[in-house]
Amino acid sequence: MESEAKTVVAVGTAERPLGLIAVADRVRPEAFETVRRLERLGLKVVMLSGDNEGTVRAVARQLGIRHYRAGVLPDGKVAEIQRLLQEHGKVAMVGDGVNDAPALAAATVGIAMGVMGTDTALETADIALMADDLSKLPYLIELSRRARRVIKQNISFSILTKFSLGLGVFPGYVTLVLAVLVGDMGASLAVTGNALRLAHIKPT
């Protein structure tokens, strides 16, 4: 049963066992494709679970996850996050339970599943996905990366523009009025227009 990703519970009386009950969480239909998309974005996917080795191995096999840890308690998740931080520098942790809260806090970025997540996980995480849709994770990563590139572009453009105009004012190549118009209003419009490109990024 455990090899089929089920958790087995023994039922019995004080005198003798009566039987076994197998319970299992259903793997979300979007989970497999989400893992593939995250890996295509260059991310390493690691599954941490407090469940038994057989169940975790079976789920990891279904999702195509090569790296996993089973039987991990909350402090063990924190230790694993810290190990991954030392190995990779930055780690994003996705979780929804009370047991995930310490690991969410220890990660570079903590991401909580909003609707199903506990209050503790939501308060600890840096980001909450309110739709509980795992397919939003790759979109979140792509949007964050593009937003960071846009921020760097805007900062570089603003500094270069103001510096160039400032140098041109003293020899008289640029008038003070032109420097103010281009360096202030012009630069503001340019960086705003560049930032609006992020609005065209749609979840897929």
Side-chain angles (χ1 to χ4, degrees):
M1 289 180 181
E2 289 181 352
S3 66
E4 298 174 352
K6 299 174 182 177
T7 299
V8 181
V9 180
V11 180
T13 64
E15 289 76 26
R16 63 187 181 90
L18 297 178
L20 300 173
I21 297 176
V23 294
D25 292 323
R26 289 186 299 175
V27 175
R28 300 190 186 202
E30 74 274 14
F32 180 82
E33 181 58 26
T34 297
V35 172
R36 299 284 75 74
R37 290 176 60 193
L38 290 173
E39 290 179 339
R40 285 197 294 269
L41 288 170
L43 300 177
K44 176 182 177 181
V45 179
V46 180
M47 182 169 68
L48 305 178
S49 174
D51 218 323
N52 63 75
E53 177 75 22
T55 300
V56 175
R57 187 190 307 113
V59 173
R61 190 185 305 118
Q62 290 179 33
L63 298 178
I65 297 176
R66 294 182 292 274
H67 308 281
Y68 63 88
R69 287 283 306 278
V72 185
L73 298 176
D75 57 342
K77 291 184 179 181
V78 173
E80 186 66 18
I81 292 296
Q82 292 172 342
R83 184 188 70 79
L84 291 171
L85 283 168
Q86 292 179 351
E87 183 177 342
H88 300 283
K90 296 179 181 179
V91 176
M93 166 73 184
V94 182
D96 61 3
V98 174
N99 292 340
D100 296 323
L104 289 170
T108 309
V109 178
I111 305 172
M113 305 303 293
V115 177
M116 297 299 293
T118 61
D119 291 340
T120 304
L122 290 172
E123 291 172 3
T124 306
D126 303 294
I127 300 170
L129 298 179
M130 302 311 297
D132 268 340
D133 184 358
L134 288 175
S135 66
K136 294 295 189 296
L137 281 173
Y139 166 70
L140 171 65
I141 301 299
E142 184 180 4
L143 179 63
S144 300
R145 286 178 174 177
R146 292 198 186 185
R148 185 175 182 178
R149 286 198 297 268
V150 166
I151 291 170
K152 288 182 176 180
Q153 291 168 3
N154 287 347
I155 292 174
S156 300
F157 173 78
S158 297
I159 293 175
L160 182 61
T161 300
K162 293 180 183 296
F163 181 74
S164 301
L165 291 171
L167 289 179
V169 167
F170 295 105
Y173 298 127
V174 179
T175 65
L176 189 58
V177 174
L178 182 61
V180 171
L181 288 176
V182 175
D184 189 6
M185 185 175 66
S188 297
L189 291 174
V191 298
T192 301
N194 190 38
L196 286 175
R197 295 189 300 122
L198 294 173
H200 298 293
I201 305 175
K202 304 297 182 183
T204 56

